[in-house]
């Protein structure tokens, strides 16, 4: 087994201190990519503007979700077997191509096919980015590093949301072009800015079948955490599924949705750098439990909103929960993973979010249409509290694993 090198201990003063150059390359690349990442939040509005019925919109979103089930596992395998840089660039360039295809087709069968392909391509890069951070950042700084990466993504999101709402009024094709450009730019930044020597790929002495799938499935603690991530992410996905529908039903339109949801990114930009350092002092699973409960409560409060200001206040609530959990899941995956499986463990955690790209739209649109908005918001509350209870339940086992191995 090859041996990882450990970087010299950096100074740890301030929320931005102590992190190496490859991390900052990823940080700025993520920022550029997320400024262009405008399609997901407006896909429901784009499809309904084309005159597609809501139940068929759910099919298109579900096809994207089915594709997403393959995305992070594929990215995790490529990350550990081929390399971080290659997987990053492959995933980003593939995503750019699939986005342009999705924006170019109009019939329902082609939309479903293009959405599936985009789902497969969209998250291939994520395990590679997360594993590369674990390679180059000291373990005590991982929570801060993943939190700052989350901050970069949301700094871009806050810009993108407001900009996208106005671009959509001029033509939704602009959103697809901007999103594809952001993906391509991130790939170029990675290719030019991160040397291959930054990777710390550790080859396993045991080459398990099915790309290590058996080993992952034997890790019951990991599987429990993935299930809880899926529960939380199913709730969080409603920010892109039933929240835009609710805002549209209130007569506020695409620009109104973009401005309201931009509050999420603005709050994260203001609070996240300080919050990530502060949150790192506390037990991760307890913080996750509180955060997941707050997200569920904030989503449920959307059902009481009617005006733009009221919608903004609900966004504030669930954003505080999102800020609290930022960086924790990436750091947990890094702590739980053997060095030779960092990409696959990051992909397993990410799989919970990918699976929610299927469960979220299917459940959200079905409940909203057939059970009514009240049932949809109640479901968010129940799932949020269930996720919180689960985090508290497995917390002791997570702590034992981390303290025993590190």
């Amino acid at each position: 087994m090859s041996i990882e090198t450990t970087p010299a201990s950096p100074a740890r003063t301030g929320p931005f201190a102590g992190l190496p150059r490859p991390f900052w390359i990823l940080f700025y690349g993520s920022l550029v990519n997320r400024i262009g990442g405008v399609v997901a939040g407006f896909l429901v509005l784009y499809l309904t503007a084309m005159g597609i019925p809501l139940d068929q919109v759910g099919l298109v979103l579900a096809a994207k979700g089915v594709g997403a089930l393959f995305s992070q596992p594929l990215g995790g395998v490529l990350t550990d077997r081929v390399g971080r840089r290659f997987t990053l660039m492959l995933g980003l360039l593939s995503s750019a191509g699939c986005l342009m295809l999705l924006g170019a087709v109009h019939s329902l069968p082609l939309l479903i096919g293009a959405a599936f392909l985009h789902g497969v391509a969209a998250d291939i890069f994520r395990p590679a980015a997360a594993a590369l951070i674990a390679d180059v950042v000291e373990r005590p700084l991982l929570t801060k590093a993943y939190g700052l990466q989350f901050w970069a993504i949301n700094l871009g999101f806050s810009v993108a949301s407001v900009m996208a709402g106005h671009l959509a009024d001029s033509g939704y094709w602009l959103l697809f072009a901007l999103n594809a450009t952001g993906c391509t730019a991130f790939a170029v930044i990675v290719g030019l800015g991160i040397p291959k020597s930054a990777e710390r790929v550790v080859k396993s002495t045991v080459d398990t079948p099915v790309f290590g799938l058996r080993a992952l499935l034997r890790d019951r603690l990991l599987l429990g955490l993935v299930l809880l991530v899926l529960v939380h992410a199913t709730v969080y996905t409603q920010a892109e599924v039933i929240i835009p529908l609710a805002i549209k039903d209130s007569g506020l339109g695409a620009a109104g949705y973009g401005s309201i949801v931009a509050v999420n990114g603005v709050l994260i930009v203001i609070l996240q750098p300080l919050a990530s350092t502060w949150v790192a002092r506390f037990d991760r699973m307890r913080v996750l439990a509180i955060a997941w409960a707050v997200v569920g409560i904030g989503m449920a409060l959307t059902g009481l909103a009617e005006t733009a200001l009221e919608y903004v206040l609900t966004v504030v609530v669930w954003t505080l929960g999102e800020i609290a959990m930022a960086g924790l899941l990436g750091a947990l995956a890094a702590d739980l993973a053997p060095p030779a499986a960092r990409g696959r463990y990051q992909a397993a955690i990410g799989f919970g979010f990918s699976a929610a790209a299927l469960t979220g739209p299917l459940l959200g649109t079905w409940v909203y249409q057939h059970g009514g908005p009240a049932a949809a918001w109640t479901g968010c509350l129940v799932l949020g509290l269930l996720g919180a209870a689960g985090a508290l339940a497995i917390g002791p086992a997570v702590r034992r694993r981390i303290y025993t191995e590190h």
Side-chain angles (χ1 to χ4, degrees):
M1 180 182 294
S2 59
I3 300 174
E4 292 183 283
T5 58
T6 303
S9 297
R12 290 188 175 87
T13 56
F16 301 104
L19 297 168
R21 184 176 181 273
F23 167 80
W24 291 111
I25 297 295
L26 284 174
F27 176 92
Y28 291 117
S30 298
L31 175 61
V32 169
N33 183 44
R34 198 61 186 91
I35 288 175
V38 292
V39 168
F42 288 81
L43 189 55
V44 170
L45 300 179
Y46 167 67
L47 294 171
T48 54
M50 291 173 63
I52 297 175
L54 187 57
D55 56 345
Q56 293 182 7
V57 168
L59 289 176
V60 176
L61 296 180
K64 182 175 181 290
V66 171
L69 295 177
F70 300 95
S71 189
Q72 294 221 37
L74 176 59
V77 169
L78 290 172
T79 295
D80 289 334
R81 298 301 176 114
V82 181
R84 281 59 158 143
R85 291 173 71 255
F86 172 84
T87 306
L88 270 163
M89 290 186 286
L90 173 67
L92 290 164
L93 293 175
S94 299
S95 183
C98 292
L99 276 164
M100 295 307 294
L101 177 63
L102 181 59
V105 300
H106 296 94
S107 70
L108 182 62
L110 291 177
L111 283 168
I112 290 173
F116 172 79
L117 292 175
H118 176 51
V120 173
D123 289 334
I124 288 174
F125 79 96
R126 293 189 187 278
L132 186 56
I133 290 173
D135 289 345
V136 302
V137 175
E138 288 188 81
R139 188 167 299 279
L141 299 179
L142 277 178
T143 298
K144 180 169 81 168
Y146 286 117
L148 286 173
Q149 185 76 350
F150 174 82
W151 182 65
I153 291 169
N154 283 275
L155 176 59
F157 173 76
S158 64
V159 175
S161 295
V162 175
M163 178 174 59
H166 296 287
L167 286 175
D169 289 337
S170 300
Y172 281 98
W173 68 271
L174 290 169
L175 303 186
F176 290 93
L178 178 61
N179 209 152
T181 300
C183 292
T184 304
F186 190 7
V188 171
I189 289 170
V190 169
L192 296 179
I194 297 181
K196 191 171 179 59
S197 60
E199 301 185 30
R200 301 283 190 269
V201 181
V202 180
K203 300 298 183 183
S204 175
T205 57
V206 179
D207 210 11
T208 53
V210 199
F211 302 108
L213 180 60
R214 291 182 184 177
L216 294 182
L217 294 178
R218 286 196 299 266
D219 191 337
R220 295 183 179 180
L221 187 56
L222 174 67
L223 295 180
L225 187 57
V226 170
L227 179 60
L228 293 176
V229 170
L230 172 60
V231 172
H232 158 72
T234 298
V235 176
Y236 185 77
T237 302
Q238 304 314 315
E240 296 180 349
V241 179
I242 58 176
I243 285 183
L245 292 175
I247 292 174
K248 177 186 175 184
D249 290 344
S250 297
L252 297 174
Y257 167 70
S259 298
I260 289 166
V261 177
V263 172
N264 168 262
V266 171
L267 283 175
I268 291 171
V269 169
I270 295 172
L271 299 177
Q272 183 59 45
L274 296 176
S276 61
T277 302
W278 181 72
V279 166
R281 303 174 184 175
F282 302 98
D283 177 76
R284 290 171 181 167
M285 296 307 296
R286 292 191 181 103
V287 174
L288 276 178
I290 294 170
W292 286 346
V294 171
V295 170
I297 291 168
M299 291 286 180
L301 289 174
T302 308
L304 303 177
E306 295 181 355
T307 66
L309 177 59
E310 290 169 346
Y311 280 113
V312 165
L313 292 176
T314 67
V315 171
V316 170
V317 174
W318 55 261
T319 297
L320 292 177
E322 187 181 7
I323 289 172
M325 66 168 284
L328 294 181
L329 290 172
L332 278 169
D335 280 341
L336 295 174
R342 279 178 176 165
R344 281 163 283 181
Y345 268 65
Q346 294 287 351
I349 297 296
F351 179 81
F353 287 97
S354 298
L358 174 62
T359 60
L362 284 178
L363 288 174
T365 55
W366 189 88
V367 174
Y368 193 86
Q369 185 176 22
H370 297 284
W377 304 125
T378 301
C380 289
L381 176 62
V382 171
L383 290 178
L385 296 179
L386 281 176
L392 292 176
I394 71 169
V398 172
R399 288 189 286 273
R400 284 194 298 271
R401 167 86 72 87
I402 292 174
Y403 294 146
T404 298
E405 296 185 358
H406 303 294

